[in-house]
Structure formats: C-alpha cells, structure tokens
Amino acid sequence: MTQRSYFSPDLSSAHHQRDLDACVRMMRTGSRTFFTASRLLPPRMRSASIALYAFCRVADDLVDEGVSPSDSLAQLSKRLDDIYADRPQPLVEDRALSAVVHQYQLPRPLLDALLEGFTWDAQARRYETIEEVHAYAARVAGSVGAMMCWLMGVRSAHAMARACELGLAMQLTNIARDVGDDARNDRLYLPRQWLHEAGIDADAWLQAPVCSPALESVVERLLAEADRLYQQSTQGIAELPRDCRSAIMAARLIYAEIGVQLRREGMNPVQRRAVVASSRKLTLLASAWLQSAWMSPTDAATAAAEPVDAIRYLVQHCTEASERLQHQAAQQPTHAGIPHRSLGQRAEWMLELFERQAALRQGRANVRSAYFPAQPGLH
C-alpha cells in the first residue's frame, strides 16, 4: 500500500474536486440527515465523509438492483481489491474512496462488513431475534460508524464501540420508520420472535401489512432499544476531535428525533413515514453545537461499559489495524512521523492530547480488556 501522511490529506485538491462534486450530488439525493449533519464537519473531514458515503450508496444500489447478490458482491470485492491496490477503476466513487483509503489507511474489514450487510439485504435474510438484527445493523451501519471514527483519527476501543453502537441505533430507527415500505417490498427487519410474542404471524402479516396495537408494541420495543443505544453511544462523542463532535451529535439527535416523531404521529409506520421537519432540524443542529461544546471525557465506570456483542469483531479489527500502524510508525525515523501543522492546528492538537491524557488518568488505559474478554469462538 502506498504510504502517505495521515496528517495532511489532500482530498480537496483540484485533482479530486470533480470526483468529490459528483459524490456530493449523490449525497444530496440520498440521506438528508447525513447531508445536514455533514455540513457541520470541518473541511478536512467533509471530503472524506462524502467520498465514503458515495461509495456506500453506489454499492448498496448495485447489490439491491443486481442480477444476483453473489455476482454483485464479487464485483464490489474486485473494486475494493483495485482500490486497496491503489489502482481504482475509472468510476468517480472508486477514485474518491481510493484517496481516502490510502491517506487514512482505512481497514478493509470495515468495508467488507458493509458489503456483507448489503448482501444480506439482497438475500432477504430472516431475523429471528434482536441479536440477529444487531448483527445486520452492525454490518450496514455499525461499520460506517467505525469508519467515521477512524477517519477522525480516534482509535480507542471504547470510542470505536460507541461509534458502532451509534450506527446500530440509527439503523434500528430506520427499521422502525420503514416498517411499511419494507413490508411492501417483501422485507421484514423486526425480530420475528418479538412479533410472535405479540401474537403476530410474521409471514401472514407480510402478505397484508396493517398497523395494530400489537405491531405498535413491537415497534415501540425496537425504538426503546434504539434509545438505549443512543444513550450509550453518546458517551463516546467526547472522545472525538472537538471540531467533529457537533456533526456527530447532530446526526445522533436528528436520527433519534425520527423515533420521537413516529411516536408523536401515533406509531403507525405502515401508513406513513415519519419525517423530521426542517425547522426542527435547525433547532437540533443548534442544540448539537451547544452540547458538544460542553462535553468532557466520561468517568472510568462509563468507559468500561460492555459493548453490544454484534460489534465486537469490528472493534477488534480496528484495534488490530491500529496496532499494526503504530508498529510500522515505530520503525520509521522520528522526523518522518512529525505532522506538519499550522500554529492553530498545533494548539488544537495539544488540547486534544491533554484531553486524552485526562481520560487515561481516569482509568481508560485498561479499557481494552472490557471489549475483548477471553471468549472462545469470537471472530
């Protein structure tokens, strides 16, 4: 892999601008929440997040609309092979992602997990338990949370776990919001065990999806699980760079508001899709900016909170990749690892360093054991 400086990515150069402009157009027609929150990211992060989102969007569409899931996955895996070999195919999203991959040394298992989740979609996989829904959400959304955390330069197991859990929470919100649309496409992501416990025959309901008190109870149960994960994931935002916190907090607040809106409208996701009004989004953006400005590292007890089982393997991949990069950096001459920063960037870097040292003093130095206990069969 071509070695480039992590500290001086040049994704905004003229060479990449055309590709990035095309990626922005994809993002504008995709997730409005993601686009709104991304505008709060600093320029150094905005280009990378746009490139990542564009590839994810195209990959999702390709698997969804392809002739067969296996053929689409093989095609996408080949594209990733070329991207990681630094010879991307002549597609704007591939060229843009290639710049991100090589400048940030993005671990490939995160993108492989995402593609696996897309394949599960195309295969109309059944999800019997909430743990199986977690496993799906870990792939299609938790992986994205981990990638964003990685791009921000945060490598701790605790922060990675919280980022993955934020992705899980958002995906559970999506599932609750899209129950009707998914059913009309013969897809079901609600845990079948929960439906059975509520007295609903999942297969029969798919043939004639209607809202009922029983279904509302299942959707409410899913939103409660999402709320739990939102609460737990928020603990990790304080570990992010200060100039990135407001964007991630905005995404967290706006997505959580979808569940609030669903409840406000009477918990009927079969007939209508809950949407957060633009005026409400502006209020939440302001709230995100204020909350993120006052964040501080959490205490040791919070840092040691157990991660959701489904995301452990993602955190482990990131930790192993980080350790490899640290080992490689240790083999380089000292001067080669010194970042080139302006005076303002150096001051901000020093503040971040002080915050991380404060976190270590509160007990995070040994947090890794909480995420990777000696468990046979963990992979």
Side-chain angles (χ1 to χ4, degrees):
M1 180 181 290
T2 303
Q3 295 295 320
R4 301 184 179 125
S5 172
Y6 168 76
F7 295 101
S8 56
D10 191 21
L11 295 176
S12 60
S13 67
H15 179 70
H16 296 297
Q17 195 57 51
R18 184 175 299 175
D19 292 341
L20 289 172
D21 288 343
C23 291
V24 168
R25 289 193 290 273
M26 294 179 196
M27 190 169 69
R28 284 181 181 273
T29 59
S31 172
R32 289 189 294 270
T33 296
F34 182 88
F35 182 73
T36 299
S38 71
R39 297 172 71 177
L40 293 179
L41 286 169
R44 65 182 177 81
M45 274 296 304
R46 199 175 302 140
S47 296
S49 65
I50 289 170
L52 177 61
Y53 175 82
F55 183 85
C56 295
R57 171 81 186 278
V58 170
D60 190 12
D61 290 344
L62 179 61
V63 173
D64 208 25
E65 301 168 4
V67 176
S68 73
S70 59
D71 289 345
S72 296
L73 183 61
Q75 181 181 341
L76 287 167
S77 294
K78 176 60 169 62
R79 287 169 64 174
L80 283 182
D81 289 341
D82 293 341
I83 285 170
Y84 276 84
D86 209 4
R87 52 169 189 271
Q89 296 181 22
L91 300 164
V92 292
E93 63 273 11
D94 288 35
R95 290 195 299 261
L97 180 61
S98 182
V100 172
V101 161
H102 292 283
Q103 290 178 6
Y104 290 88
Q105 305 292 295
L106 186 66
R108 175 162 177 174
L110 300 180
L111 284 161
D112 287 334
L114 182 71
L115 297 188
E116 183 180 25
F118 291 161
T119 303
W120 287 9
D121 267 336
Q123 294 171 338
R125 195 181 183 99
R126 292 168 61 105
Y127 303 101
E128 298 295 337
T129 66
I130 187 59
E131 289 77 19
E132 291 178 0
V133 176
H134 282 164
Y136 164 72
R139 285 157 176 78
V140 298
S143 61
V144 177
M147 285 187 276
M148 289 295 293
C149 191
W150 184 277
L151 294 181
M152 291 176 190
V154 179
R155 304 289 188 265
S156 79
H158 172 254
M160 280 291 174
R162 303 291 88 93
C164 290
E165 288 164 352
L166 179 56
L168 260 65
M170 290 177 170
Q171 188 60 35
L172 296 186
T173 300
N174 280 341
I175 291 171
R177 178 194 61 192
D178 297 338
V179 166
D181 290 342
D182 287 335
R184 286 182 281 274
N185 289 312
D186 200 32
R187 290 182 176 180
L188 179 64
Y189 297 96
L190 296 173
R192 287 171 174 260
Q193 182 183 81
W194 287 7
L195 291 169
H196 176 74
E197 291 171 1
I200 298 174
D201 183 305
D203 293 322
W205 181 85
L206 270 175
Q207 298 303 311
V210 295
C211 193
S212 65
L215 182 71
E216 290 174 9
S217 70
V218 174
V219 175
E220 174 57 43
R221 192 174 176 182
L222 191 68
L223 288 176
E225 174 64 3
D227 289 342
R228 182 184 73 83
L229 291 171
Y230 280 126
Q231 185 66 30
Q232 184 157 307
S233 66
T234 303
Q235 300 161 5
I237 296 179
E239 291 188 63
L240 302 178
R242 289 180 300 124
D243 59 354
C244 295
R245 293 173 192 168
S246 59
I248 303 307
M249 179 60 79
R252 178 251 185 268
L253 293 178
I254 293 173
Y255 254 90
E257 185 69 13
I258 294 172
V260 174
Q261 184 66 22
L262 184 55
R263 292 177 174 116
R264 186 181 295 126
E265 293 178 353
M267 293 291 290
N268 189 347
V270 176
Q271 291 186 350
R272 56 182 174 270
R273 193 172 187 263
V275 176
V276 179
S278 297
S279 58
R280 180 58 179 161
K281 285 184 180 180
L282 290 175
T283 301
L284 293 172
L285 287 173
S287 177
W289 185 84
L290 288 172
Q291 290 186 48
S292 61
W294 290 96
M295 282 186 162
S296 61
T298 54
D299 61 21
T302 298
E306 286 289 323
V308 174
D309 285 342
I311 56 93
R312 286 181 184 274
Y313 83 108
L314 296 173
V315 180
Q316 186 168 6
H317 280 310
C318 291
T319 300
E320 291 171 352
S322 179
E323 290 173 349
R324 285 195 299 271
L325 290 175
Q326 289 176 11
H327 177 73
Q328 293 171 10
Q331 308 307 309
Q332 299 295 324
T334 303
H335 65 81
I338 298 176
H340 298 286
R341 295 186 174 95
S342 67
L343 180 60
Q345 289 174 322
R346 290 175 186 173
E348 184 173 348
W349 178 74
M350 287 299 295
L351 288 172
E352 292 290 344
L353 180 61
F354 288 145
E355 288 186 357
R356 291 177 187 177
Q357 290 299 320
L360 288 174
R361 286 195 296 270
Q362 293 180 44
R364 284 198 186 140
N366 299 320
V367 73
R368 185 167 179 251
S369 62
Y371 297 91
F372 310 123
Q375 292 182 357
L378 179 63
H379 61 279

